[in-house]
Amino acid sequence: MSCKLTQRFVSGYLDGELDLSRTIEMETHLHVCGECSEELAKQQALRAALQRSSLAYAAPDALRERIQSSLRASIPAEAPEKAASSWNPFQFLRWAGAFAVLALCAVTAWQLLPGLRGPASDQQLAAEVLTSHVRSLEASHLMDVISTDQHTVKPWFDGKLDFSPPVEDLASDGFPLVGGRLDYLEGRQVAALVYQRRKHFINVFVWPDTSGSGSTQSIQPQQGYNMMRWSHGGFQFWAVSDVNAQDLADFVRMLQARIAPETK
Ligand SMILES: [Zn+2]
């Protein structure tokens, strides 16, 4: 798939509107093309900003119905076979226009009213981490590289990320490394390492840390998932899982002990 086509389909891809073969084509291209993954990351960041709780505003049903019926009314009656076709560029343009207006209002509100920007960034990040974790389990997209060997997983990230994440297997501690994948948080590419605890998975998200704070924090459990964040050796880490809080804390402690502080 070309860059032009990929970037045109990014919104559809994020909305899960592409068919399977197009999705696979997209993902294959995104893995090898930095420019297009950057475009995807940008759109994800914009969406994340728009969806933050204090901004997210569901249109009342009445409004939605009014927009839909006025859209229907503005489209000339069509022959049945044409109406049945799934792709109508004019209809698409009208929807795109309506969406653009709503998005512009939201962005303007966001920029003009700092008080509306929502909770602290840790909570926003926690929400993104949780979403990524749940999505990775649901979409059978848990791993791009399946291996219990850290010497296979670590080099796999080379060339796909602008940093080299520390990768440690914790099989001897009861938390085997099972694979890894690329993911996106806060609009940037991050490494996701996948560990297993019995039948549960732990996602560890890693990216370079610029803040330099070394403290380990438990995040308030959300929807039955436990989360911890810390920074270590120049990296920011977030671990998320449905294992119990004690198991997750043990895991984090053992992982921290494995990763040498000088790792960069
Ligand atoms: Zn491209």
Side-chain angles (χ1 to χ4, degrees):
M1 198 187 255
S2 70
C3 291
K4 207 173 156 191
L5 212 54
T6 301
Q7 294 183 16
R8 202 167 102 199
F9 285 132
V10 158
S11 310
Y13 174 70
L14 285 172
D15 288 331
E17 287 167 347
L18 303 186
D19 62 25
L20 181 63
S21 65
R22 190 72 87 191
T23 303
I24 293 169
E25 278 175 8
M26 283 277 298
E27 290 186 342
T28 311
H29 181 85
L30 286 167
H31 276 207
V32 296
C33 178
E35 203 185 318
C36 289
S37 358
E38 210 172 284
E39 179 60 31
L40 177 70
K42 271 189 218 152
Q43 294 222 17
Q44 280 174 320
L46 175 63
R47 272 158 197 255
L50 292 177
Q51 284 164 354
R52 272 164 204 155
S53 53
S54 59
L55 262 186
Y57 174 71
D61 287 348
L63 174 62
R64 193 183 349 228
E65 245 156 53
R66 274 215 312 278
I67 293 176
Q68 279 174 342
S69 62
S70 75
L71 283 170
R72 275 195 296 271
S74 64
I75 297 166
E78 293 164 295
E81 65 271 24
K82 204 180 162 206
S85 86
S86 59
W87 174 248
N88 178 331
F90 296 106
Q91 192 170 6
F92 170 77
L93 284 176
R94 288 195 175 96
W95 275 110
F99 176 76
V101 170
L102 287 174
L104 190 63
C105 292
V107 168
T108 308
W110 183 56
Q111 284 172 340
L112 293 180
L113 301 167
L116 281 184
R117 285 188 200 178
S121 69
D122 256 16
Q123 282 164 284
Q124 291 162 2
L125 194 48
E128 281 192 51
V129 163
L130 180 59
T131 305
S132 285
H133 177 70
V134 172
R135 196 176 47 213
S136 77
L137 301 177
E138 279 175 353
S140 39
H141 187 56
L142 191 58
M143 287 167 274
D144 289 332
V145 53
I146 300 172
S147 173
T148 55
D149 182 0
Q150 67 206 61
H151 303 295
T152 304
V153 175
K154 190 174 170 63
W156 180 85
F157 284 110
D158 290 347
K160 299 186 180 69
L161 291 168
D162 54 5
F163 60 95
S164 180
V167 180
E168 296 291 337
D169 184 22
L170 294 177
S172 57
D173 298 309
F175 296 94
L177 173 72
V178 290
R181 71 174 186 285
L182 298 181
D183 215 315
Y184 296 87
L185 288 174
E186 292 195 307
R188 70 155 299 152
Q189 264 194 325
V190 302
L193 299 167
V194 185
Y195 292 85
Q196 201 166 1
R197 175 66 160 178
R198 292 183 287 269
K199 284 180 178 169
H200 304 272
F201 290 104
I202 303 173
N203 262 300
V204 178
F205 299 96
V206 187
W207 65 98
D209 179 32
T210 46
S211 71
S213 132
S215 64
T216 304
Q217 288 179 316
S218 287
I219 307 295
Q220 186 76 18
Q222 295 188 23
Q223 297 164 40
Y225 294 93
N226 289 301
M227 264 184 271
M228 291 184 79
R229 58 157 289 188
W230 69 100
S231 60
H232 189 91
F235 290 98
Q236 176 89 233
F237 295 80
W238 279 71
V240 54
S241 179
D242 60 347
V243 298
N244 65 54
Q246 186 56 53
D247 272 4
L248 190 64
D250 288 346
F251 167 77
V252 168
R253 191 171 35 76
M254 289 184 281
L255 189 59
Q256 287 173 336
R258 285 291 181 92
I259 300 172
E262 63 274 15
T263 305
K264 286 278 172 188

